[in-house]
């Protein structure tokens, strides 16, 4: 299954702005500007198989430590044609039980799980701005260049380092009330994970991805 989830530039927030949710101001999340699509540091170790520019489309490099488990030394397989993924577009490609997000970001093409690292909503129906994908469920923003959240979901929770961020309310909305109880406790203990990547290459107009071996039967 291939699903077109191209971004709506008119409605998207400028997604490369870091939002700190540890404190709220009048119910709204406080904001701090971050470099646009900065990604990992220049000295970060990248997977050597995904740093080439081929056929006028660049493959987005990712930190080696964020490569998906089981994709090491796996063969590349065709997922979709390059012509079917213009800049700014996202697609869901399903292989068995695995849903893959393929995104053509401002810095190149990336492949990761089509599951928000917060509560597993499909990122492919969210918004892509530059290198940042926005989740359609709780408004979290995730940098495809670094694998990190740049805005925590409205439900709050734990960031990848385990720091707690409270519930916050989008600008222009009434302050959100989070009554105590098991649901609030579950939200507080839900950790936003780092994205995990599948190696990508482009050959003869085909976007190919190395996927882990899927269970059979």
């Amino acid at each position: 299954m291939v699903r077109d989830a191209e971004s709506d530039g008119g409605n998207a927030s400028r997604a490369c702005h870091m939002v700190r949710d540890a404190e709220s101001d009048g119910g709204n999340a406080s904001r701090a500007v971050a470099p646009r699509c900065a990604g990992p540091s220049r000295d970060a170790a990248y997977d050597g198989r995904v740093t080439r520019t081929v056929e006028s489309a660049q493959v987005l490099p990712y930190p080696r430590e964020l490569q998906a488990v089981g994709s090491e030394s796996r063969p590349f397989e065709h997922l979709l044609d390059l012509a079917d993924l213009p800049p700014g577009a996202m697609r869901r490609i399903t292989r068995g039980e695995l849903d893959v997000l393929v995104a053509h970001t401002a810095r190149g093409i990336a492949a990761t799980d089509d599951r928000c690292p917060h509560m597993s909503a499909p990122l492919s129906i969210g918004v892509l701005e530059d290198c940042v994908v926005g989740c359609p469920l709780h408004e979290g923003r995730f940098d495809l260049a670094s694998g990190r959240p740049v805005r925590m979901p409205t439900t709050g929770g734990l960031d990848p380092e385990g720091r707690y961020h409270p519930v916050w309310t989008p600008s222009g909305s009434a302050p959100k009330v989070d009554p105590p109880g098991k649901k609030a406790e579950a939200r507080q203990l839900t950790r936003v994970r780092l994205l995990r990547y599948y190696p990508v290459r482009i050959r003869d107009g085909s976007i190919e991805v190395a996927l882990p071996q899927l269970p059979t039967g």
Side-chain angles (χ1 to χ4, degrees):
M1 175 177 67
V2 178
R3 180 181 300 170
D4 187 338
E6 298 187 17
S7 63
D8 179 359
N11 296 326
S13 61
R14 301 309 300 171
C16 285
H17 286 184
M18 180 76 76
V19 173
R20 294 183 295 107
D21 298 309
E23 298 178 359
S24 60
D25 180 9
N28 296 326
S30 59
R31 298 176 181 271
V33 175
R36 180 175 300 278
C37 300
S41 68
R42 184 174 300 176
D43 296 328
Y46 297 121
D47 188 319
R49 297 193 293 172
V50 298
T51 58
R52 295 186 300 159
T53 299
V54 186
E55 299 177 0
S56 75
Q58 182 170 332
V59 177
L60 183 68
Y62 58 82
R64 187 187 302 273
E65 67 271 15
L66 295 185
Q67 181 166 329
V69 174
S71 62
E72 303 87 351
S73 303
R74 291 290 298 164
F76 286 93
E77 61 177 272
H78 170 80
L79 286 196
L80 74 163
D81 292 336
L82 179 60
D84 292 331
L85 192 74
M90 298 187 290
R91 303 286 189 272
R92 165 181 276 201
I93 309 294
T94 298
R95 291 289 184 269
E97 296 181 355
L98 181 63
D99 297 317
V100 181
L101 170 70
V102 186
H104 197 155
T105 78
R107 290 181 55 191
I109 295 173
T112 185
D113 291 315
D114 191 20
R115 294 161 53 92
C116 175
H118 172 228
M119 288 187 178
S120 299
L123 293 172
S124 59
I125 62 172
V127 173
L128 179 64
E129 284 257 340
D130 299 304
C131 303
V132 176
V133 60
C135 178
L137 191 57
H138 295 120
E139 302 194 48
R141 298 288 185 265
F142 306 95
D143 189 354
L144 291 171
S146 68
R148 300 190 57 80
V150 295
R151 184 169 79 188
M152 287 290 287
T154 57
T155 54
L158 304 178
D159 63 22
E161 287 71 42
R163 293 186 295 262
Y164 173 67
H165 298 253
V167 170
W168 62 275
T169 303
S171 178
S173 300
K176 184 177 295 184
V177 178
D178 193 28
K182 286 294 183 182
K183 290 185 178 180
E185 183 180 0
R187 284 189 287 270
Q188 293 168 8
L189 295 176
T190 298
R191 185 189 295 268
V192 176
R193 306 289 180 176
L194 296 171
L195 295 174
R196 301 292 169 172
Y197 295 87
Y198 301 108
V200 176
R201 74 181 182 188
I202 303 171
R203 283 192 173 180
D204 301 324
S206 170
I207 299 174
E208 300 179 350
V209 179
L211 300 176
Q213 186 169 3
L214 301 175
T216 58

